mmCIF file of all heavy atoms in Angstrom:
data_model
loop_
_atom_site.group_PDB
_atom_site.id
_atom_site.type_symbol
_atom_site.label_atom_id
_atom_site.label_comp_id
_atom_site.label_asym_id
_atom_site.label_seq_id
_atom_site.Cartn_x
_atom_site.Cartn_y
_atom_site.Cartn_z
ATOM 1 N N ILE A 512 128.921 114.038 83.758
ATOM 2 C CA ILE A 512 129.969 112.965 83.951
ATOM 3 C C ILE A 512 131.274 113.713 84.215
ATOM 4 O O ILE A 512 131.537 114.653 83.534
ATOM 5 C CB ILE A 512 130.200 112.033 82.680
ATOM 6 C CG1 ILE A 512 128.894 111.201 82.498
ATOM 7 C CG2 ILE A 512 131.368 111.166 82.978
ATOM 8 C CD1 ILE A 512 128.952 110.367 81.234
ATOM 9 N N LEU A 513 131.995 113.427 85.251
ATOM 10 C CA LEU A 513 133.172 114.111 85.669
ATOM 11 C C LEU A 513 134.356 113.209 85.576
ATOM 12 O O LEU A 513 134.314 111.955 86.079
ATOM 13 C CB LEU A 513 133.137 114.684 87.097
ATOM 14 C CG LEU A 513 132.038 115.622 87.406
ATOM 15 C CD1 LEU A 513 132.166 116.196 88.891
ATOM 16 C CD2 LEU A 513 132.026 116.873 86.561
ATOM 17 N N GLU A 514 135.411 113.471 84.886
ATOM 18 C CA GLU A 514 136.703 112.710 84.876
ATOM 19 C C GLU A 514 137.682 113.592 85.414
ATOM 20 O O GLU A 514 138.098 114.639 85.002
ATOM 21 C CB GLU A 514 136.905 112.377 83.312
ATOM 22 C CG GLU A 514 138.042 111.366 83.279
ATOM 23 C CD GLU A 514 137.727 109.969 83.751
ATOM 24 O OE1 GLU A 514 136.455 109.649 83.968
ATOM 25 O OE2 GLU A 514 138.599 109.262 83.914
ATOM 26 N N LEU A 515 138.273 113.056 86.510
ATOM 27 C CA LEU A 515 139.310 113.774 87.407
ATOM 28 C C LEU A 515 140.672 113.156 86.996
ATOM 29 O O LEU A 515 140.888 111.941 87.236
ATOM 30 C CB LEU A 515 138.949 113.566 88.778
ATOM 31 C CG LEU A 515 137.542 114.104 89.223
ATOM 32 C CD1 LEU A 515 137.217 113.770 90.675
ATOM 33 C CD2 LEU A 515 137.430 115.541 88.961
ATOM 34 N N LYS A 516 141.606 114.005 86.615
ATOM 35 C CA LYS A 516 142.901 113.475 86.287
ATOM 36 C C LYS A 516 143.937 114.132 87.189
ATOM 37 O O LYS A 516 143.848 115.416 87.501
ATOM 38 C CB LYS A 516 143.235 113.684 84.806
ATOM 39 C CG LYS A 516 142.343 112.917 83.811
ATOM 40 C CD LYS A 516 142.584 111.474 84.157
ATOM 41 C CE LYS A 516 141.770 110.641 83.202
ATOM 42 N NZ LYS A 516 141.942 109.104 83.558
ATOM 43 N N TYR A 517 144.969 113.403 87.532
ATOM 44 C CA TYR A 517 145.929 113.979 88.511
ATOM 45 C C TYR A 517 147.334 113.879 87.908
ATOM 46 O O TYR A 517 147.790 112.790 87.362
ATOM 47 C CB TYR A 517 145.868 113.243 89.841
ATOM 48 C CG TYR A 517 146.987 113.514 90.828
ATOM 49 C CD1 TYR A 517 147.134 114.688 91.492
ATOM 50 C CD2 TYR A 517 148.091 112.607 90.961
ATOM 51 C CE1 TYR A 517 148.105 115.008 92.407
ATOM 52 C CE2 TYR A 517 149.173 112.947 91.889
ATOM 53 C CZ TYR A 517 149.100 114.101 92.560
ATOM 54 O OH TYR A 517 150.128 114.341 93.391
ATOM 55 N N LEU A 518 148.191 114.842 88.066
ATOM 56 C CA LEU A 518 149.597 114.822 87.755
ATOM 57 C C LEU A 518 150.283 115.294 88.930
ATOM 58 O O LEU A 518 149.901 116.215 89.687
ATOM 59 C CB LEU A 518 149.795 115.849 86.510
ATOM 60 C CG LEU A 518 149.186 115.711 85.272
ATOM 61 C CD1 LEU A 518 149.270 117.002 84.424
ATOM 62 C CD2 LEU A 518 149.915 114.547 84.463
ATOM 63 N N SER A 519 151.463 114.670 89.133
ATOM 64 C CA SER A 519 152.366 115.204 90.142
ATOM 65 C C SER A 519 152.968 116.550 89.664
ATOM 66 O O SER A 519 153.060 116.767 88.471
ATOM 67 C CB SER A 519 153.366 114.135 90.610
ATOM 68 O OG SER A 519 154.400 114.176 89.483
ATOM 69 N N SER A 520 153.579 117.199 90.763
ATOM 70 C CA SER A 520 154.111 118.578 90.383
ATOM 71 C C SER A 520 155.334 118.412 89.357
ATOM 72 O O SER A 520 155.714 119.340 88.673
ATOM 73 C CB SER A 520 154.494 119.372 91.516
ATOM 74 O OG SER A 520 155.357 118.518 92.304
ATOM 75 N N LYS A 521 155.900 117.138 89.205
ATOM 76 C CA LYS A 521 157.071 116.902 88.462
ATOM 77 C C LYS A 521 156.846 116.486 87.144
ATOM 78 O O LYS A 521 157.689 116.447 86.228
ATOM 79 C CB LYS A 521 157.938 115.850 89.147
ATOM 80 C CG LYS A 521 158.416 116.279 90.560
ATOM 81 C CD LYS A 521 159.268 115.156 91.234
ATOM 82 C CE LYS A 521 159.580 115.418 92.644
ATOM 83 N NZ LYS A 521 160.361 114.288 93.242
ATOM 84 N N GLU A 522 155.519 116.302 86.719
ATOM 85 C CA GLU A 522 155.219 115.788 85.441
ATOM 86 C C GLU A 522 155.368 116.895 84.377
ATOM 87 O O GLU A 522 155.220 118.077 84.560
ATOM 88 C CB GLU A 522 153.657 115.285 85.312
ATOM 89 C CG GLU A 522 153.407 114.138 86.308
ATOM 90 C CD GLU A 522 154.051 112.892 85.856
ATOM 91 O OE1 GLU A 522 154.628 112.803 84.833
ATOM 92 O OE2 GLU A 522 153.847 111.845 86.617
ATOM 93 N N THR A 523 155.748 116.567 83.151
ATOM 94 C CA THR A 523 156.081 117.480 82.124
ATOM 95 C C THR A 523 154.883 117.984 81.424
ATOM 96 O O THR A 523 153.757 117.293 81.515
ATOM 97 C CB THR A 523 156.875 116.871 80.976
ATOM 98 O OG1 THR A 523 156.273 115.711 80.397
ATOM 99 C CG2 THR A 523 158.260 116.318 81.621
ATOM 100 N N ASP A 524 154.892 119.018 80.797
ATOM 101 C CA ASP A 524 153.726 119.475 79.984
ATOM 102 C C ASP A 524 153.348 118.501 78.912
ATOM 103 O O ASP A 524 152.086 118.407 78.615
ATOM 104 C CB ASP A 524 154.151 120.807 79.422
ATOM 105 C CG ASP A 524 154.210 121.948 80.282
ATOM 106 O OD1 ASP A 524 153.717 121.766 81.462
ATOM 107 O OD2 ASP A 524 154.746 123.082 79.993
ATOM 108 N N ALA A 525 154.348 117.775 78.356
ATOM 109 C CA ALA A 525 153.971 116.804 77.310
ATOM 110 C C ALA A 525 153.246 115.690 77.866
ATOM 111 O O ALA A 525 152.212 115.226 77.315
ATOM 112 C CB ALA A 525 155.291 116.291 76.741
ATOM 113 N N LYS A 526 153.337 115.243 79.199
ATOM 114 C CA LYS A 526 152.695 114.243 79.822
ATOM 115 C C LYS A 526 151.269 114.698 80.047
ATOM 116 O O LYS A 526 150.242 113.998 79.949
ATOM 117 C CB LYS A 526 153.414 113.757 81.036
ATOM 118 C CG LYS A 526 152.682 112.892 81.933
ATOM 119 C CD LYS A 526 152.350 111.478 81.298
ATOM 120 C CE LYS A 526 151.570 110.591 82.191
ATOM 121 N NZ LYS A 526 152.287 110.203 83.469
ATOM 122 N N ALA A 527 151.147 116.054 80.534
ATOM 123 C CA ALA A 527 149.919 116.642 80.710
ATOM 124 C C ALA A 527 149.061 116.561 79.527
ATOM 125 O O ALA A 527 147.767 116.266 79.481
ATOM 126 C CB ALA A 527 150.066 118.016 81.196
ATOM 127 N N LYS A 528 149.665 116.995 78.305
ATOM 128 C CA LYS A 528 148.811 116.927 77.049
ATOM 129 C C LYS A 528 148.407 115.581 76.740
ATOM 130 O O LYS A 528 147.182 115.423 76.233
ATOM 131 C CB LYS A 528 149.799 117.545 75.925
ATOM 132 C CG LYS A 528 149.092 117.655 74.595
ATOM 133 C CD LYS A 528 149.987 118.302 73.631
ATOM 134 C CE LYS A 528 149.230 118.588 72.365
ATOM 135 N NZ LYS A 528 150.066 119.153 71.311
ATOM 136 N N VAL A 529 149.248 114.504 76.870
ATOM 137 C CA VAL A 529 148.789 113.244 76.531
ATOM 138 C C VAL A 529 147.753 112.653 77.430
ATOM 139 O O VAL A 529 146.735 112.121 76.929
ATOM 140 C CB VAL A 529 150.044 112.162 76.645
ATOM 141 C CG1 VAL A 529 149.588 110.848 76.578
ATOM 142 C CG2 VAL A 529 151.012 112.418 75.576
ATOM 143 N N GLN A 530 147.828 113.046 78.743
ATOM 144 C CA GLN A 530 146.784 112.634 79.733
ATOM 145 C C GLN A 530 145.521 113.325 79.333
ATOM 146 O O GLN A 530 144.419 112.667 79.496
ATOM 147 C CB GLN A 530 147.116 113.046 81.093
ATOM 148 C CG GLN A 530 146.289 112.669 82.208
ATOM 149 C CD GLN A 530 146.494 113.195 83.481
ATOM 150 O OE1 GLN A 530 146.443 114.387 83.772
ATOM 151 N NE2 GLN A 530 147.041 112.359 84.510
ATOM 152 N N TRP A 531 145.487 114.561 78.915
ATOM 153 C CA TRP A 531 144.263 115.292 78.513
ATOM 154 C C TRP A 531 143.504 114.659 77.328
ATOM 155 O O TRP A 531 142.402 114.425 77.380
ATOM 156 C CB TRP A 531 144.608 116.799 78.266
ATOM 157 C CG TRP A 531 143.324 117.602 78.056
ATOM 158 C CD1 TRP A 531 142.896 117.740 76.854
ATOM 159 C CD2 TRP A 531 142.491 118.085 78.971
ATOM 160 N NE1 TRP A 531 141.564 118.454 76.982
ATOM 161 C CE2 TRP A 531 141.369 118.761 78.265
ATOM 162 C CE3 TRP A 531 142.456 118.138 80.450
ATOM 163 C CZ2 TRP A 531 140.313 119.342 78.925
ATOM 164 C CZ3 TRP A 531 141.502 118.980 81.065
ATOM 165 C CH2 TRP A 531 140.454 119.395 80.348
ATOM 166 N N GLN A 532 144.380 114.291 76.480
ATOM 167 C CA GLN A 532 143.758 113.582 75.253
ATOM 168 C C GLN A 532 143.134 112.310 75.510
ATOM 169 O O GLN A 532 142.107 112.003 74.963
ATOM 170 C CB GLN A 532 144.901 113.534 74.035
ATOM 171 C CG GLN A 532 145.450 114.841 73.571
ATOM 172 C CD GLN A 532 146.690 114.614 72.668
ATOM 173 O OE1 GLN A 532 147.375 113.695 72.776
ATOM 174 N NE2 GLN A 532 146.959 115.622 71.824
ATOM 175 N N GLU A 533 143.880 111.585 76.351
ATOM 176 C CA GLU A 533 143.359 110.328 76.839
ATOM 177 C C GLU A 533 142.006 110.372 77.573
ATOM 178 O O GLU A 533 141.061 109.718 77.393
ATOM 179 C CB GLU A 533 144.399 109.515 77.717
ATOM 180 C CG GLU A 533 145.524 109.094 76.904
ATOM 181 C CD GLU A 533 146.686 108.559 77.877
ATOM 182 O OE1 GLU A 533 146.421 108.633 79.074
ATOM 183 O OE2 GLU A 533 147.631 107.734 77.418
ATOM 184 N N ALA A 534 141.961 111.446 78.456
ATOM 185 C CA ALA A 534 140.770 111.812 79.255
ATOM 186 C C ALA A 534 139.534 112.198 78.340
ATOM 187 O O ALA A 534 138.531 111.572 78.579
ATOM 188 C CB ALA A 534 140.942 112.915 80.234
ATOM 189 N N THR A 535 139.991 112.948 77.219
ATOM 190 C CA THR A 535 138.814 113.302 76.316
ATOM 191 C C THR A 535 138.290 112.154 75.535
ATOM 192 O O THR A 535 137.061 112.047 75.448
ATOM 193 C CB THR A 535 139.501 114.221 75.216
ATOM 194 O OG1 THR A 535 140.142 115.450 75.923
ATOM 195 C CG2 THR A 535 138.447 114.793 74.303
ATOM 196 N N VAL A 536 139.107 111.143 75.207
ATOM 197 C CA VAL A 536 138.672 110.026 74.509
ATOM 198 C C VAL A 536 137.840 109.156 75.432
ATOM 199 O O VAL A 536 136.687 108.565 75.051
ATOM 200 C CB VAL A 536 139.847 109.120 73.874
ATOM 201 C CG1 VAL A 536 139.295 107.797 73.498
ATOM 202 C CG2 VAL A 536 140.621 109.907 72.908
ATOM 203 N N GLN A 537 138.307 108.974 76.786
ATOM 204 C CA GLN A 537 137.596 108.175 77.750
ATOM 205 C C GLN A 537 136.200 108.673 77.971
ATOM 206 O O GLN A 537 135.160 108.053 77.947
ATOM 207 C CB GLN A 537 138.393 108.344 79.063
ATOM 208 C CG GLN A 537 139.450 107.283 79.165
ATOM 209 C CD GLN A 537 140.130 107.434 80.454
ATOM 210 O OE1 GLN A 537 140.293 108.426 81.018
ATOM 211 N NE2 GLN A 537 140.492 106.307 81.054
ATOM 212 N N ILE A 538 136.145 110.123 78.163
ATOM 213 C CA ILE A 538 134.738 110.543 78.566
ATOM 214 C C ILE A 538 133.857 110.612 77.417
ATOM 215 O O ILE A 538 132.569 110.496 77.522
ATOM 216 C CB ILE A 538 134.989 112.041 79.162
ATOM 217 C CG1 ILE A 538 133.841 112.371 80.097
ATOM 218 C CG2 ILE A 538 135.080 113.026 78.020
ATOM 219 C CD1 ILE A 538 134.031 113.563 81.035
ATOM 220 N N LYS A 539 134.317 110.718 76.136
ATOM 221 C CA LYS A 539 133.390 110.651 75.056
ATOM 222 C C LYS A 539 132.805 109.173 74.985
ATOM 223 O O LYS A 539 131.780 108.939 74.500
ATOM 224 C CB LYS A 539 134.116 111.002 73.795
ATOM 225 C CG LYS A 539 134.408 112.441 73.520
ATOM 226 C CD LYS A 539 135.027 112.811 72.272
ATOM 227 C CE LYS A 539 135.220 114.356 72.059
ATOM 228 N NZ LYS A 539 136.031 114.528 70.747
ATOM 229 N N GLU A 540 133.664 108.266 75.217
ATOM 230 C CA GLU A 540 133.233 106.730 75.181
ATOM 231 C C GLU A 540 132.225 106.571 76.434
ATOM 232 O O GLU A 540 131.287 105.871 76.084
ATOM 233 C CB GLU A 540 134.427 105.842 75.411
ATOM 234 C CG GLU A 540 135.442 105.833 74.232
ATOM 235 C CD GLU A 540 136.515 104.913 74.468
ATOM 236 O OE1 GLU A 540 136.805 104.417 75.675
ATOM 237 O OE2 GLU A 540 137.360 104.586 73.474
ATOM 238 N N TYR A 541 132.424 107.178 77.530
ATOM 239 C CA TYR A 541 131.407 107.025 78.577
ATOM 240 C C TYR A 541 130.097 107.548 78.080
ATOM 241 O O TYR A 541 129.067 107.012 78.302
ATOM 242 C CB TYR A 541 131.923 107.806 79.813
ATOM 243 C CG TYR A 541 133.196 107.236 80.419
ATOM 244 C CD1 TYR A 541 134.085 108.077 81.196
ATOM 245 C CD2 TYR A 541 133.627 105.849 80.260
ATOM 246 C CE1 TYR A 541 135.201 107.547 81.699
ATOM 247 C CE2 TYR A 541 134.744 105.376 80.895
ATOM 248 C CZ TYR A 541 135.558 106.202 81.570
ATOM 249 O OH TYR A 541 136.707 105.728 82.131
ATOM 250 N N ALA A 542 130.307 108.815 77.508
ATOM 251 C CA ALA A 542 128.950 109.449 77.176
ATOM 252 C C ALA A 542 128.105 108.738 76.067
ATOM 253 O O ALA A 542 126.889 108.779 75.946
ATOM 254 C CB ALA A 542 129.205 110.820 76.552
ATOM 255 N N ALA A 543 128.936 107.919 75.286
ATOM 256 C CA ALA A 543 128.247 107.100 74.212
ATOM 257 C C ALA A 543 127.664 105.794 74.760
ATOM 258 O O ALA A 543 126.940 105.134 73.944
ATOM 259 C CB ALA A 543 129.270 106.907 73.118
ATOM 260 N N ALA A 544 127.925 105.472 75.897
ATOM 261 C CA ALA A 544 127.359 104.148 76.422
ATOM 262 C C ALA A 544 125.929 104.148 76.473
ATOM 263 O O ALA A 544 125.172 105.210 76.825
ATOM 264 C CB ALA A 544 127.851 103.875 77.849
ATOM 265 N N PRO A 545 125.229 103.164 75.948
ATOM 266 C CA PRO A 545 123.770 102.997 75.987
ATOM 267 C C PRO A 545 123.080 103.201 77.325
ATOM 268 O O PRO A 545 121.963 103.846 77.464
ATOM 269 C CB PRO A 545 123.526 101.560 75.542
ATOM 270 C CG PRO A 545 124.818 101.137 74.658
ATOM 271 C CD PRO A 545 125.938 101.899 75.415
ATOM 272 N N LYS A 546 123.888 102.831 78.390
ATOM 273 C CA LYS A 546 123.386 102.950 79.757
ATOM 274 C C LYS A 546 123.090 104.370 80.080
ATOM 275 O O LYS A 546 122.266 104.790 80.981
ATOM 276 C CB LYS A 546 124.332 102.451 80.715
ATOM 277 C CG LYS A 546 123.966 102.354 82.197
ATOM 278 C CD LYS A 546 125.028 101.522 83.034
ATOM 279 C CE LYS A 546 124.532 101.346 84.455
ATOM 280 N NZ LYS A 546 125.646 100.708 85.158
ATOM 281 N N VAL A 547 123.846 105.285 79.542
ATOM 282 C CA VAL A 547 123.898 106.889 79.849
ATOM 283 C C VAL A 547 122.584 107.349 79.545
ATOM 284 O O VAL A 547 121.890 108.225 80.314
ATOM 285 C CB VAL A 547 125.120 107.529 79.181
ATOM 286 C CG1 VAL A 547 124.699 109.056 79.275
ATOM 287 C CG2 VAL A 547 126.378 107.179 79.765
#
Side-chain angles (χ1 to χ4, degrees):
I512 295 176
L513 302 184
E514 190 66 17
L515 306 174
K516 293 300 180 183
Y517 171 78
L518 296 163
S519 73
S520 56
K521 299 178 182 179
E522 299 286 359
T523 64
D524 290 343
K526 174 65 181 295
K528 184 177 180 180
V529 170
Q530 186 190 65
W531 183 267
Q532 291 172 341
E533 291 173 348
T535 299
V536 172
Q537 277 183 321
I538 205 165
K539 286 181 178 180
E540 289 178 351
Y541 296 152
K546 186 177 182 180
V547 168

